[in-house]
Amino acid sequence: MILGSSSGFIKQHSSSLSLLMRSLDVLIIVCGLYLAVWLYDVAPLERHELLVALAVLAFLFVAEVRGLYQSRRIESIYSEFGHVATVWFVVVILLLALGFVSKSSASFSRVVLTVWILLTPVMMCLLRLMLRKVLRYARARGRNSRTVAFAGAGSASDKMIAHIGEMPWLGLNVVGVFDDRKSDRHAHAHGELSLAGDLHNLVDMACAGQIDIVYITLPMQAERSIIKLIEQLADSTASVYIVPDLFIFSLYKARWATVGGMPVISTFESPFYGTESWLKRAEDIVLGGLILSMIAPLLIIIALGVKLTSAGPVIFKQRRYGLKGEVVEVWKFRSMTVCDNGENVVQAKKGDKRVTPLGAFLRRTSLDELPQFINVLQGRMSIVGPRPHAVAHNEQYRKLIRGYMLRHKVKPGITGLAQVNGWRGETDTLHKMQKRVEYDLEYIQNWSLWLDIKIIVKTIVVGFLGKNAY
């Protein structure tokens, strides 16, 4: 079954290609370590053999859990790079934890391990890039292609046909759209593609082996027709997928899940459960600890500056909504002469007299947010996530913006997708807050470790300065 572009609408598995990719990944892990050993003229030892064996086993296990080897025909190459980086990151964390527990990490060359850790995912990504080039070349010339048909004319089939038409390298050839509902159906056929026949014609072609994939895009109220069609297509070798017409319920970002093996549709859910949860926490601890150690001198300098230039506490602790809407204290360097934290919190505006001279610089450069890395290590926040708003503002906007409280399905972040896209600082209009919420929900829906890394890098490059930050 398929839901939306985020989860993909094709999951064709090729066992031979999957086996080849597994074998090549294992070869890269092994060769990568011994290449690093050779480059730095370190004598290979038995512990290197044990390390590479553990790395291979851990990688294959995590890769299966993360679905690394499923077909990614329609995904971008950057998305696939993200999956590779995520799996390898988990493996590295597991190996580091094992080395810490067994007290064996000191017996390895840190330079060799660093080169191996960095080199391996690069080589895996280059492998996938070359493979994509070869497959796209073949598919664009009619090889490794599949014939596709749609059962049901409407918005769902229109959208999917448009996607296929824009990406010829997918190797998908649309035979046509089939539908029994004659009235006004020709108007729904995409572009110049008219109806190719009724559902009986579709079944006959599938049974004759003329169709490889059938997407059932009938509306949900056509339940009987869908069941009947599935039963008839069971007499063919075509792969059959149901594309639920969920747009009428505004569930276009829903996901499939299972409860005791029974499929359910998740409409509002956090992306951080199971592996993703501790992967996100590991990211926060590792990166948060590293960043704090690097900025410690800067924190001391700013703290002294705040203390010496204005009266009041160095750290301003404000009550804000965190994970699951629970109230948490978020720390900032004090940048105003007041510490509003009650039911009425007035946002800072351009030329606000409450902002101290040093505070204006800190706010404009986001340096006032640096103490929040301590909140990250405390577990109250993440490095990347929706920015936390004051409790008073949450209560105001949850009544005005649909889906506003879904931001709190994840921990608040120091930076986020909205901020690196220009929606930081003052939200003096409802439109500005709506745009911020849109980006926050997009982040939650499409979260990946790779997305976090891109946001962090973009924050470092362009995100510290903003025209709306007063």
Side-chain angles (χ1 to χ4, degrees):
M1 294 183 176
I2 308 99
L3 264 185
S5 60
S6 63
S7 60
F9 56 80
I10 301 170
K11 288 189 178 179
Q12 297 294 339
H13 296 270
S14 173
S15 57
S16 57
L17 182 59
S18 178
L19 179 61
L20 174 63
M21 291 302 298
R22 286 178 172 84
S23 301
L24 291 176
D25 283 342
V26 169
L27 187 62
I28 287 173
I29 294 172
V30 175
C31 293
L33 178 61
Y34 285 101
L35 177 61
V37 168
W38 176 76
L39 286 173
Y40 289 92
D41 198 24
V42 176
L45 304 171
E46 289 185 3
R47 58 175 174 266
H48 289 131
E49 298 177 2
L50 178 60
L51 175 62
V52 79
L54 291 173
V56 167
L57 292 175
F59 185 86
L60 292 177
F61 174 76
V62 177
E64 290 301 321
V65 173
R66 296 286 304 177
L68 181 62
Y69 297 110
Q70 67 184 37
S71 174
R72 303 196 180 278
R73 183 184 286 235
I74 68 163
E75 287 189 19
S76 70
I77 188 63
Y78 300 107
S79 176
E80 189 166 8
F81 287 170
H83 288 290
V84 171
T86 299
V87 172
W88 184 244
F89 178 80
V90 174
V91 171
V92 170
I93 293 296
L94 291 174
L95 293 177
L96 290 176
L98 183 61
F100 176 78
V101 172
S102 63
K103 299 180 180 180
S104 59
S105 57
S107 59
F108 294 96
S109 167
R110 293 185 179 181
V111 176
V112 168
L113 290 182
T114 301
V115 171
W116 177 53
I117 289 172
L118 297 177
L119 182 64
T120 298
V122 172
M123 293 173 64
M124 288 181 178
C125 289
L126 288 176
L127 168 66
R128 282 158 174 79
L129 180 61
M130 290 187 293
L131 179 63
R132 286 220 175 192
K133 294 289 186 181
V134 172
L135 290 177
R136 288 189 175 188
Y137 179 85
R139 288 165 181 166
R141 285 155 182 77
R143 299 180 180 180
N144 189 232
S145 62
R146 295 182 176 91
T147 53
V148 176
F150 292 87
S155 60
S157 59
D158 287 352
K159 291 178 183 293
M160 294 183 66
I161 291 172
H163 278 300
I164 292 173
E166 293 169 357
M167 299 178 286
W169 58 83
L170 297 179
L172 301 177
N173 300 318
V174 179
V175 175
V177 180
F178 300 78
D179 204 316
D180 286 340
R181 302 165 296 157
K182 299 298 183 182
S183 61
D184 299 328
R185 289 294 112 188
H186 289 276
H188 286 285
H190 183 76
E192 300 178 355
L193 186 63
S194 60
L195 292 178
D198 58 24
L199 298 182
H200 291 292
N201 300 135
L202 171 62
V203 172
D204 290 342
M205 293 179 66
C207 291
Q210 299 174 16
I211 298 175
D212 297 317
I213 305 171
V214 175
Y215 292 110
I216 300 177
T217 52
L218 292 166
M220 294 182 68
Q221 57 265 35
E223 178 184 357
R224 293 184 179 180
S225 297
I226 293 174
I227 294 175
K228 180 180 178 181
L229 180 60
I230 292 175
E231 292 175 347
Q232 293 174 330
L233 290 173
D235 190 37
S236 73
T237 59
S239 299
V240 181
Y241 295 85
I242 298 177
V243 185
D245 184 20
L246 298 178
F247 300 95
I248 57 175
F249 298 114
S250 298
L251 304 182
Y252 63 96
K253 288 189 176 181
R255 298 180 178 182
W256 286 110
T258 59
V259 177
M262 180 177 293
V264 296
I265 297 175
S266 166
T267 57
F268 305 131
E269 189 52 275
S270 167
F272 305 126
Y273 275 111
T275 304
E276 287 79 4
S277 176
W278 60 263
L279 177 61
K280 178 71 168 175
R281 185 59 182 148
E283 172 196 337
D284 286 337
I285 293 175
V286 173
L287 294 181
L290 179 63
I291 292 172
L292 264 180
S293 64
M294 295 171 61
I295 66 173
L298 180 60
L299 292 177
I300 296 173
I301 294 172
I302 295 175
L304 288 173
V306 172
K307 191 65 177 177
L308 295 175
T309 56
S310 62
V314 172
I315 299 296
F316 168 45
K317 301 178 181 180
Q318 189 175 51
R319 295 168 61 251
R320 301 193 177 190
Y321 278 177
L323 181 64
K324 300 179 182 179
E326 297 177 354
V327 177
V328 297
E329 277 192 343
V330 174
W331 296 2
K332 300 175 65 173
F333 282 121
R334 182 178 54 80
S335 57
M336 292 184 169
T337 56
V338 297
C339 295
D340 291 343
N341 196 21
E343 295 182 359
N344 296 312
V345 177
V346 180
Q347 280 192 323
K349 302 180 183 296
K350 188 173 184 179
D352 199 316
K353 301 299 183 181
R354 300 172 300 164
V355 179
T356 66
L358 177 60
F361 170 75
L362 296 178
R363 297 174 72 90
R364 190 168 58 252
T365 57
S366 296
L367 293 175
D368 62 324
E369 313 283 358
L370 292 183
Q372 290 167 23
F373 282 103
I374 299 175
N375 296 148
V376 169
L377 295 185
Q378 292 171 333
R380 300 177 188 173
M381 297 180 65
S382 286
I383 295 177
V384 182
R387 284 295 299 157
H389 299 151
V391 171
H393 295 154
N394 276 297
E395 294 304 319
Q396 174 188 356
Y397 287 112
R398 69 186 302 177
K399 302 172 184 177
L400 301 175
I401 300 176
R402 183 183 179 188
Y404 178 88
M405 290 302 292
L406 295 178
R407 305 171 71 253
H408 303 291
K409 299 294 291 184
V410 300
K411 291 179 182 179
I414 297 176
T415 186
L417 190 61
Q419 283 64 47
V420 297
N421 280 282
W423 298 99
R424 68 177 290 260
E426 184 185 9
T427 51
D428 54 341
T429 66
L430 184 61
H431 171 70
K432 290 182 179 179
M433 184 61 81
Q434 285 175 328
K435 293 300 296 183
R436 181 181 289 189
V437 171
E438 286 178 14
Y439 276 106
D440 289 340
L441 297 184
E442 180 182 340
Y443 168 77
I444 294 172
Q445 175 65 25
N446 300 300
W447 177 84
S448 68
L449 183 64
W450 182 245
L451 178 59
D452 275 2
I453 294 173
K454 288 195 292 185
I455 292 173
I456 292 172
V457 171
K458 193 170 182 180
T459 299
I460 295 172
V461 175
V462 299
F464 282 114
L465 297 175
K467 60 182 181 180
N468 296 323
Y470 307 128

